[in-house]
Amino acid sequence: MPTLPLPRVRALALLNDDASGITEISEVVAGDPGLTVAVLRAANSAPTSRVQTPSQAIVRIGVGATRRIVTGAVVGDAFDNLGYADLHVDALWRHLIATALLAETLAR
């Protein structure tokens, strides 16, 4: 498995910490072009005035949506090259989803 870049690890950590503020989160997102694009794209998908900064985007879409977008971008990028590792990517995804659902059920 590939290791995640430190800014992305930091972004995930901040998004999972209820004590984190929008300023902290937006600074980390702004430091990663891929995350910035993903968050701005989501915030600007509504037919309203366009936002220009990660901070504005996070305020518009909320921390929960930002968490989902960042997690999706981080995980998606981390698994882009798995096809070259001779792994069956669909089977891996099914396993990961089943594991996540089981963990969520056990946590309750």
Side-chain angles (χ1 to χ4, degrees):
M1 291 295 297
T3 58
L4 296 176
L6 190 57
R8 289 183 172 215
V9 171
R10 179 83 175 123
L12 290 174
L14 286 173
L15 286 164
N16 287 309
D17 181 0
D18 293 335
S20 299
I22 290 177
T23 302
E24 277 182 297
I25 296 167
S26 64
E27 286 173 0
V28 173
V29 168
D32 185 295
L35 297 182
T36 298
V37 167
V39 171
L40 287 174
R41 183 177 295 136
N44 286 322
S45 65
T48 58
S49 62
R50 297 185 60 78
V51 297
Q52 302 294 322
T53 67
S55 180
Q56 293 170 337
I58 293 167
V59 168
R60 177 175 287 177
I61 64 176
V63 174
T66 301
R67 180 182 303 114
R68 288 187 295 278
I69 292 164
V70 168
T71 301
V74 169
V75 171
D77 289 348
F79 286 92
D80 274 347
N81 296 322
L82 283 182
Y84 302 113
D86 203 25
L87 294 172
H88 192 273
V89 177
D90 289 338
L92 177 61
W93 274 113
R94 283 192 299 274
H95 170 76
L96 292 172
I97 291 169
T99 303
L101 291 172
L102 179 61
E104 183 179 33
T105 301
L106 290 173
R108 289 183 189 165

